[in-house]
Amino acid sequence: MTRFALTVEYDGRPFMGWQRQAHGPSVQEAIETAARKITGEAVAVHAAGRTDAGVHATGMRAHLDIERPITAFRLMEALNAVMRPAPVAILACETVADDWHARFSCIARHYEYRIVTRRAPLTFENGLAWRLPGPLDADAMAEGAARLVGRHDFTTFRSAHCQAESALKTLDRLDVVQEGERINVFASARSFLHHQVRSMVGCLALVGQGKWSADDVQDALEACDRARLGLNAPPDGLYFRRADYPDTV
Amino acid sequence: MTRFALTVEYDGRPFMGWQRQAHGPSVQEAIETAARKITGEAVAVHAAGRTDAGVHATGMRAHLDIERPITAFRLMEALNAVMRPAPVAILACETVADDWHARFSCIARHYEYRIVTRRAPLTFENGLAWRLPGPLDADAMAEGAARLVGRHDFTTFRSAHCQAESALKTLDRLDVVQEGERINVFASARSFLHHQVRSMVGCLALVGQGKWSADDVQDALEACDRARLGLNAPPDGLYFRRADYPDTV
């Protein structure tokens, strides 16, 4: 048995999310089905994060075990060939130790949330970014974001369906970067609660629009009450960018 | 009657091209149909350039005449609302003089051609860039591009269906810009022949792959023979970026 670590890019628009679902296509199913076609083995794929329906990835990490001999390069090429035309691409594939686990070995996760501020509907990026018609005050958003960085109870920014045992999380980074009509929010943490990035971005958008102040963000955080959430941003703009692992695994 | 100048962005993937066709959807038809729905008038839309099937635009210019009174802002908003979900967006709309013509007043046209060099299939950009598996030598491509800049007979780089009276054109700019795995080619001229940008980029790709030298590009140019063309690049990577007009119109 050989364990392979994958770096996966996918356009989340046609999928019900990462995780296998009875009622529609998933990224996990696309990769598992392709791996089974290639190897004849019933393959299970585990990811660093289980993204929701409509959420994308530019650098998801995942792993799978294959019994028959195959090189990492051959596996990558075969997966990409078999999965076409599904918008899933294996960008890298390498052999890893048998105890390397895409989810449990992961020590940091990095997301990006893309906002485009313009009146006109999106064309190329329809479903790939959150369009907001008015200009946003990126400096104010950055001020609001700073209130969320650190170790907090993020209950306000957590979906009712979140299965995490505790809402206490350390947010390492929440940067707001403006470039012309684009505002990208970069979020990093060891792990996130369900909907946490979208919930934080939704509230930052309210700050950018002048409807909320940075103090309102802090009040919402300290309330530890989902009902105090200002807005949950749509999945369209969310990208899983990168997962970090200890060098030694 | 008021003449309006439009700045149009479109994803060319679902279209047979800019120009109205009997056998499939076109960008021109999308805008004309929407304008007719809004005004009740039979509206003709004229563009700075007639892009081919699968070619995109980030800043096409076009004009149309409307009899009934309507502001430029109202017209833009209404066109965008009516055209949804077609991937066409009016980014700007302004009133212009009655003799301003998107095609005939245009003094420069700017295209961009996007190449992505990677083994994995494209996901987000499938149909929006030309994927080439190997690395390309961008410096060599720039050297080849330099041979094409200036006033030449571009017969070699012209489609058999080209309707221009003369193949003599002045290419003002053909820049090769590398950024990581991306290579973008920027082309500017008063006007281009049919398939000229794609034909030039196709040959530059051969140079980037080491199959052609800059001298081969020059030989192909000087041959003035379509049969000497190395390769015509696919429409996927081509974008009409901008059209320039005299300040005084």
Side-chain angles (χ1 to χ4, degrees):
Chain A
M1 183 277 274
T2 309
R3 180 158 292 186
F4 295 93
L6 307 175
T7 304
V8 190
E9 176 186 281
Y10 52 86
D11 177 343
R13 286 177 291 187
F15 297 109
M16 305 300 300
W18 167 270
Q19 201 164 21
R20 195 178 264 277
Q21 304 281 343
H23 58 296
S26 65
V27 181
Q28 184 184 13
E29 181 196 29
I31 302 175
E32 288 178 350
T33 302
R36 184 173 200 149
K37 276 188 194 156
I38 295 160
T39 64
E41 302 170 22
V43 176
V45 180
H46 303 270
R50 287 163 296 179
T51 54
D52 277 332
V55 174
H56 321 286
T58 52
M60 175 60 79
R61 296 299 294 277
H63 80 262
L64 73 175
D65 296 334
I66 308 279
E67 293 297 334
R68 56 165 263 197
I70 185 168
T71 67
F73 183 75
R74 255 290 280 131
L75 178 61
M76 176 175 75
E77 295 280 286
L79 286 171
N80 281 333
V82 171
M83 285 194 292
R84 295 183 95 156
V88 180
I90 310 300
L91 301 182
C93 178
E94 53 186 330
T95 56
V96 287
D98 289 0
D99 62 348
W100 189 94
H101 196 289
R103 182 175 172 199
F104 299 121
S105 305
C106 181
I107 54 173
R109 291 163 172 89
H110 307 274
Y111 282 93
E112 177 179 356
Y113 195 98
R114 299 183 188 168
I115 297 171
V116 176
T117 56
R118 71 177 204 183
R119 285 201 70 82
L122 299 177
T123 58
F124 305 106
E125 289 186 290
N126 191 21
L128 296 176
W130 185 20
R131 183 185 68 87
L132 288 168
L136 297 180
D137 183 338
D139 291 337
M141 291 172 71
E143 206 188 314
R147 307 295 181 94
L148 297 172
V149 173
R151 187 158 177 80
H152 304 289
D153 181 322
F154 282 98
T155 294
T156 304
F157 300 90
R158 171 189 201 177
S159 150
H161 303 104
C162 183
Q163 292 168 13
E165 284 181 26
S166 162
L168 203 63
K169 293 283 175 189
T170 301
L171 180 64
D172 296 315
R173 180 191 182 197
L174 192 63
D175 289 346
V176 178
V177 178
Q178 183 166 32
E179 226 188 282
E181 67 178 12
R182 300 179 164 278
I183 293 181
N184 294 328
V185 181
F186 295 91
S188 299
R190 173 176 274 273
S191 62
F192 288 93
L193 298 164
H194 190 222
H195 281 189
Q196 186 182 343
V197 178
R198 289 167 54 187
S199 296
M200 294 191 302
V201 169
C203 292
L204 294 184
L206 293 177
V207 175
Q209 292 172 328
K211 294 173 184 167
W212 269 32
S213 66
D215 285 344
D216 290 329
V217 174
Q218 188 156 355
D219 288 349
L221 173 68
E222 289 172 358
C224 294
D225 176 3
R226 181 69 178 170
R228 293 288 298 278
L229 182 76
L231 185 62
N232 198 32
D236 310 45
L238 188 58
Y239 293 74
F240 189 104
R241 285 180 68 220
R242 205 177 85 219
D244 294 340
Y245 298 88
D247 287 336
T248 50
V249 291
Chain B
M1 184 276 276
T2 309
R3 180 159 293 187
F4 295 93
L6 307 175
T7 304
V8 189
E9 176 186 278
Y10 53 87
D11 177 343
R13 286 177 290 188
F15 296 110
M16 304 300 301
W18 167 272
Q19 200 164 20
R20 192 179 266 277
Q21 304 282 343
H23 57 294
S26 65
V27 181
Q28 184 185 12
E29 181 195 29
I31 302 175
E32 288 178 351
T33 302
R36 183 171 199 151
K37 275 187 193 155
I38 294 159
T39 64
E41 302 170 22
V43 175
V45 180
H46 302 270
R50 287 162 297 177
T51 54
D52 277 332
V55 173
H56 322 287
T58 53
M60 176 59 79
R61 296 299 294 279
H63 79 263
L64 73 175
D65 296 334
I66 307 280
E67 292 296 332
R68 56 166 264 198
I70 185 168
T71 67
F73 183 77
R74 258 287 282 129
L75 177 60
M76 176 176 73
E77 295 280 285
L79 285 171
N80 281 332
V82 171
M83 284 194 292
R84 294 182 98 154
V88 181
I90 311 299
L91 301 183
C93 179
E94 53 185 329
T95 56
V96 287
D98 290 359
D99 62 350
W100 190 94
H101 196 288
R103 181 175 172 200
F104 300 121
S105 305
C106 182
I107 53 171
R109 291 163 172 89
H110 307 274
Y111 283 91
E112 177 180 356
Y113 195 99
R114 299 183 188 169
I115 298 171
V116 176
T117 57
R118 71 177 202 181
R119 285 201 69 83
L122 299 177
T123 58
F124 304 108
E125 288 185 292
N126 191 20
L128 296 176
W130 185 21
R131 182 184 69 87
L132 287 169
L136 298 180
D137 182 340
D139 292 337
M141 291 172 71
E143 206 189 313
R147 307 295 180 95
L148 298 173
V149 173
R151 186 159 178 79
H152 303 289
D153 181 322
F154 282 97
T155 294
T156 304
F157 301 90
R158 171 191 199 174
S159 151
H161 301 105
C162 183
Q163 292 169 13
E165 283 181 28
S166 163
L168 202 64
K169 293 282 176 189
T170 301
L171 180 63
D172 295 316
R173 179 190 183 200
L174 191 63
D175 290 345
V176 178
V177 178
Q178 183 166 32
E179 227 189 283
E181 67 177 12
R182 300 179 164 278
I183 292 181
N184 294 329
V185 180
F186 294 91
S188 299
R190 174 177 272 272
S191 63
F192 289 92
L193 298 166
H194 190 224
H195 281 190
Q196 186 181 344
V197 178
R198 289 167 55 187
S199 296
M200 295 190 301
V201 169
C203 293
L204 294 184
L206 293 178
V207 175
Q209 293 172 329
K211 295 174 185 168
W212 269 33
S213 67
D215 285 343
D216 290 330
V217 174
Q218 189 157 353
D219 289 348
L221 174 68
E222 290 172 0
C224 294
D225 177 3
R226 181 68 176 169
R228 293 286 298 277
L229 182 77
L231 186 63
N232 199 32
D236 310 45
L238 188 58
Y239 293 74
F240 188 104
R241 288 180 66 219
R242 203 177 86 220
D244 294 341
Y245 299 88
D247 287 339
T248 49
V249 293

